[in-house]
């Protein structure tokens, strides 16, 4: 029952978001075009509900020479690929705004496990243990407010599992408002290769 209500909320809130944020979309589109060559939007194949594939939308933050299908935090020197405008977009998480359209058309939800890249096989397999591939992926989720890029696969999947166990209005509301705090503080964003010894504190938050 809640999943039907959740979908209705996604449609309503994403439509409101598209209308209200349209002036910001226009400003960012112009800024990206003036800043560097290439398309305004970045499309990438991701894993959706029941492991179907869809193209996630983001504002482009990297130049067109960037290796494809490689998470930013796994690049040896990502700074060489990120554009000037891209640094601002990533720091403020404004690069994620086009995913409001993914939410509106039903490919994503506002809250849910972040959609894995199609070739992140280990993460997809680990999420199967918790049923995290059986719900719509989200713009933000429990793992994102408990570490984001800093988390290793097994911890990220377990956090997604916690979300599945507790899924409901209050869990979604908690994720939503904590995401706002995380974005303001720029918590958990890693632009280089993840350090394994940075995850101990994240383990303590798994069941909170």
């Amino acid at each position: 029952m809640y999943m039907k209500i959740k979908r209705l909320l996604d449609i309503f809130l994403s439509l409101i978001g598209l209308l209200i944020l349209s002036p910001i979309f226009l400003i960012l589109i112009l800024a990206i075009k003036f800043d560097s060559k290439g398309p305004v939007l970045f499309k990438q194949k991701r894993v959706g509900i029941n492991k179907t594939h869809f193209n996630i939308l983001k504002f482009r933050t990297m130049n067109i020479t960037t290796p494809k299908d490689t998470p930013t935090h796994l690049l040896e020197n990502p700074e060489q690929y990120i554009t000037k405008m891209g640094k601002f977009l990533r720091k403020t998480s404004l690069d994620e705004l086009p995913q409001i359209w993914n939410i509106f058309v039903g490919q994503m939800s506002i809250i849910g496990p972040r959609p894995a890249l199609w070739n992140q096989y280990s993460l997809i397999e680990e999420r199967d243990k918790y049923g995290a591939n059986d719900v719509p992926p989200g713009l933000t989720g429990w793992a994102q407010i408990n570490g984001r890029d800093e988390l290793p696969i097994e911890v990220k999947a377990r956090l997604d599992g916690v979300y599945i166990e507790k899924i409901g209005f209050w869990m979604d509301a908690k994720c939503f408002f904590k995401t706002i705090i995380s974005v303001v503080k720029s918590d958990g964003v890693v632009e280089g290769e993840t350090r394994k010894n940075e995850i101990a504190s994240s383990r303590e938050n798994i069941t909170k």
Side-chain angles (χ1 to χ4, degrees):
M1 181 63 181
Y2 174 69
M3 295 307 291
K4 293 181 179 179
I5 297 174
K6 181 179 173 72
R7 177 60 191 144
L8 291 175
L9 286 172
D10 284 339
I11 294 172
F12 175 74
L13 293 176
S14 59
L15 178 59
I16 296 298
L18 288 170
L19 294 174
I20 293 178
L21 297 174
S22 56
I24 295 178
F25 271 78
L26 180 58
I27 293 171
L28 294 178
I29 287 170
L30 293 174
I32 292 168
K33 290 299 292 183
F34 282 120
D35 181 56
S36 61
K37 295 181 180 179
V40 171
L41 291 178
F42 170 70
K43 299 179 181 181
Q44 191 176 57
K45 188 163 71 172
R46 296 286 183 118
V47 179
I49 185 172
N50 298 322
K51 292 186 280 190
T52 56
H53 291 162
F54 73 99
N55 286 323
I56 197 172
L57 301 177
K58 293 186 178 186
F59 281 127
R60 181 176 57 82
T61 61
M62 309 184 90
N63 62 51
I64 56 178
T65 64
T66 307
K68 295 181 179 180
D69 295 326
T70 302
T72 306
H73 64 279
L74 294 182
L75 294 172
E76 292 185 2
N77 184 19
E79 290 294 333
Q80 65 179 311
Y81 301 110
I82 300 174
T83 64
K84 292 180 181 178
M85 185 64 188
K87 291 180 180 180
F88 168 75
L89 291 172
R90 284 169 172 262
K91 184 176 182 180
T92 58
S93 293
L94 289 173
D95 60 316
E96 311 283 358
L97 283 183
Q99 288 163 52
I100 296 175
W101 178 255
N102 290 121
I103 295 169
F104 182 70
V105 299
Q107 296 169 329
M108 292 177 60
S109 179
I110 295 174
I111 308 296
R114 280 296 293 170
L117 281 166
W118 67 272
N119 59 357
Q120 288 182 298
Y121 304 115
S122 297
L123 176 58
I124 297 168
E125 182 179 359
E126 194 71 18
R127 280 176 168 174
D128 271 336
K129 299 177 182 179
Y130 306 103
N133 292 314
D134 301 329
V135 299
L139 179 65
T140 185
W142 191 242
Q144 279 58 56
I145 59 175
N146 285 288
R148 294 178 70 174
D149 295 334
E150 294 177 357
L151 300 175
I153 287 173
E154 65 274 11
V155 176
K156 185 180 294 184
R158 175 58 186 144
L159 285 166
D160 290 332
V162 170
Y163 172 76
I164 300 302
E165 292 172 4
K166 300 181 179 181
I167 192 168
F169 178 79
W170 293 114
M171 183 60 164
D172 281 359
K174 191 174 184 178
C175 289
F176 181 82
F177 288 110
K178 283 197 171 186
T179 294
I180 295 175
I181 297 173
S182 294
V183 168
V184 171
K185 296 170 62 178
S186 296
D187 284 346
V189 178
V190 178
E191 300 292 14
E193 188 172 355
T194 306
R195 293 181 300 171
K196 294 182 179 179
N197 62 352
E198 291 182 340
I199 66 172
S201 60
S202 298
R203 295 180 185 273
E204 298 176 358
N205 293 325
I206 289 179
T207 57
K208 289 183 180 179

